[in-house]
Amino acid sequence: MTDDLSEKKQTQGIKADDEILAIDAAEEGRALTLGRDRTMLLHKLELAGNNINFSSIFDAPISLPFPYSYFEDHSSSNPNSFLDLLRQDHHQFASSSNSSSFSFDAFPLQNNNDTNLFFTDLPLPQAMTTKAEESSEVVNTAPTSPNSTSVSSSSNEAANDNTNKEVAVKDQEEGDQKEHKDTKPQLKVKKKNQKKAREARFAFLTKSDIDNLDDGYRWRKYGQKAVKNSPYPRSYYRCTTVGCGVKKRVERSSDDPSIVMTTYEGQHSHPFPMTPRGHLGMLTSPILDHGATTASSSSFSIPQPRYLLTQHHQPYNSMYNTSLNMINRSSSDGTFINPGSSSFPGFGYDHMPQASTPTTSAIRDHGLLQDILPSQIREDTINTQINEEDKK
DNA sequence: CGTGTTTGACCCGCGC
DNA sequence: GCGCGGGTCAAACACG
């Protein structure tokens, strides 16, 4: 690793063995130097030309420690679908800033080992490329959109392998939580072990005015640290659900203050956000829930109702058109396809379908989509997905 | 009163 | 060994 990169990593708070990936900005951002000296050459990301070939990216299933199954089979009734997240973020941006829209295009990438990356057509100024080094983020020169989110992840040895390993990681994590205040020798042992099998991490960049995105979970802030060479502090959050040791770090890019990087670590031990006060009603009928919540870190809400209420009462399909535009745009690029098995088992939704039927189920059964999206839009998306399959 | 935030102190790993 | 920086703790505080 070059001194320059080491310098950058150091300034970005990256340890040599940090599971969060470091991006080598060389090769116009197409070469990723992953942690542990793994390098993955990305396919040509001709995002500007909407000509991306991610065909091989989805060759293998991926797993990511993210609270939402971004690419979950839409046929399921799983509320934690990709679109759900879209809506969440949609809301977040819409309600928290002057932004009227944003895009969220995440493309799961996988190298030949165990690291998952999510790429998006996020607008990527030079500043972001630099920042991305901390979290293995996006490296491309995409056309910009008002608000964007890029997603990437890095995982430990277990995160991308199989369920058993993920469980092992989870167990260790929980053990760390419980035993955190044990004797120092034990703590040291734990730390050492933890180093070998760290929690899966999942980071994504978001262009937003607010630091702490409402991802549907309840978070408690437990720390804040100044980031070296950055005027913006890094905040540390922990999932407030009892027994759930998931953490996330939120920091703002010093180069581009409009960019927020959120890094998730660990697996949620609960199927969906739980709150002591019990707001589960939102989960079953988000659209009906018009609860007024804040944009604070502790807010726990399903966004679209607020979005609808606060954003000029846009009709449902208008909003979802926006969401779907993201998909469509990606799909038309041949970049956003339902990777099927690329769910996020890292978050341990044992009861959730693990995208059992790659590519097909989402096409035939749209789950939430079919209830909300205009059929024409669905068909467009589907056609694109089919075309992508044909390419394979 | 319950919940979440703030913030200084502390611990730990790492590089020199 | 020492200093630095990241990460965490926990008491104090704020808020509804």
Side-chain angles (χ1 to χ4, degrees):
Chain A
M1 188 169 296
T2 65
D3 293 339
D4 183 55
L5 184 55
S6 297
E7 170 72 14
K8 290 180 179 178
K9 286 180 65 175
Q10 192 165 21
T11 58
Q12 298 294 341
I14 301 173
K15 297 175 183 177
D17 61 336
D18 202 318
E19 296 298 335
I20 295 299
L21 311 177
I23 285 180
D24 183 351
E27 191 66 23
E28 295 182 0
R30 287 167 185 151
L32 296 184
T33 299
L34 307 182
R36 288 164 287 182
D37 297 326
R38 289 167 300 179
T39 299
M40 176 179 71
L41 290 177
L42 299 181
H43 297 250
K44 281 191 174 182
L45 302 179
E46 299 296 342
L47 289 163
N50 290 337
N51 180 21
I52 308 174
N53 179 8
F54 278 83
S55 58
S56 66
I57 290 169
F58 304 125
D59 281 349
I62 67 170
S63 63
L64 290 168
F66 199 72
Y68 296 87
S69 296
Y70 277 44
F71 306 96
E72 191 70 45
D73 182 353
H74 289 175
S75 65
S76 74
S77 59
N78 168 27
N80 305 327
S81 65
F82 179 44
L83 277 184
D84 285 326
L85 182 75
L86 291 178
R87 281 175 265 146
Q88 298 252 359
D89 280 344
H90 234 321
H91 151 76
Q92 195 59 253
F93 290 112
S95 62
S96 61
S97 69
N98 295 329
S99 305
S100 59
S101 66
F102 88 108
S103 67
F104 187 110
D105 295 286
F107 312 117
L109 302 177
Q110 183 176 26
N111 65 351
N112 54 4
N113 288 320
D114 56 12
T115 301
N116 298 315
L117 292 176
F118 272 67
F119 272 46
T120 81
D121 61 350
L122 173 78
L124 197 68
Q126 188 60 37
M128 177 173 281
T129 303
T130 301
K131 186 59 180 181
E133 290 179 12
E134 172 172 0
S135 58
S136 69
E137 309 304 337
V138 182
V139 185
N140 63 46
T141 55
T144 61
S145 57
N147 286 305
S148 309
T149 299
S150 67
V151 185
S152 69
S153 76
S154 65
S155 58
N156 56 26
E157 289 75 3
N160 193 38
D161 195 342
N162 57 49
T163 303
N164 290 337
K165 286 187 177 180
E166 287 161 3
V167 170
V169 172
K170 176 181 175 181
D171 289 344
Q172 183 191 352
E173 175 189 3
E174 291 178 347
D176 287 348
Q177 292 293 320
K178 294 176 182 177
E179 301 171 10
H180 190 76
K181 294 182 179 179
D182 285 358
T183 61
K184 291 181 179 178
Q186 286 177 329
L187 187 63
K188 286 185 177 179
V189 172
K190 279 288 181 181
K191 293 280 185 179
K192 286 186 177 181
N193 291 338
Q194 189 178 34
K195 186 176 179 180
K196 290 184 178 181
R198 192 181 304 203
E199 323 302 339
R201 289 187 182 180
F202 186 91
F204 65 95
L205 302 179
T206 304
K207 204 158 190 174
S208 173
D209 292 337
I210 59 173
D211 290 338
N212 192 8
L213 303 179
D214 183 358
D215 55 12
Y217 288 96
R218 288 172 62 96
W219 300 96
R220 173 185 171 87
K221 187 175 184 178
Y222 67 89
Q224 178 173 307
K225 288 286 288 187
V227 179
K228 190 179 179 182
N229 295 334
S230 174
Y232 306 100
R234 174 183 300 140
S235 296
Y236 299 89
Y237 296 89
R238 184 175 291 137
C239 183
T240 61
T241 301
V242 176
C244 180
V246 176
K247 303 169 190 173
K248 75 171 179 179
R249 296 178 298 183
V250 178
E251 62 182 284
R252 190 169 290 276
S253 170
S254 60
D255 298 311
D256 187 347
S258 65
I259 296 170
V260 176
M261 188 182 74
T262 304
T263 304
Y264 292 88
E265 180 175 344
Q267 309 172 8
H268 285 282
S269 61
H270 46 100
F272 203 79
M274 299 291 192
T275 80
R277 294 176 179 177
H279 289 173
L280 293 178
M282 294 187 241
L283 306 181
T284 56
S285 183
I287 290 178
L288 296 179
D289 182 273
H290 291 184
T293 56
T294 66
S296 69
S297 62
S298 60
S299 67
F300 173 46
S301 63
I302 300 298
Q304 68 269 38
R306 281 186 285 155
Y307 176 91
L308 292 173
L309 291 175
T310 57
Q311 297 299 311
H312 315 298
H313 304 278
Q314 296 185 23
Y316 285 130
N317 58 355
S318 173
M319 176 182 73
Y320 284 102
N321 273 343
T322 309
S323 294
L324 195 60
N325 282 341
M326 309 170 201
I327 299 173
N328 273 342
R329 180 155 49 90
S330 300
S331 297
S332 61
D333 297 340
T335 59
F336 186 91
I337 61 175
N338 181 1
S341 57
S342 58
S343 61
F344 299 84
F347 267 67
Y349 300 143
D350 293 339
H351 64 289
M352 288 165 56
Q354 293 294 320
S356 56
T357 308
T359 71
T360 56
S361 56
I363 294 173
R364 298 194 174 104
D365 184 348
H366 316 297
L368 292 173
L369 276 175
Q370 67 185 11
D371 295 332
I372 300 167
L373 295 173
S375 58
Q376 180 60 48
I377 296 175
R378 293 204 308 266
E379 290 174 359
D380 290 346
T381 304
I382 293 167
N383 289 337
T384 305
Q385 291 173 333
I386 293 174
N387 290 338
E388 183 64 23
E389 283 188 344
D390 291 341
K391 291 178 183 179
K392 293 181 182 178

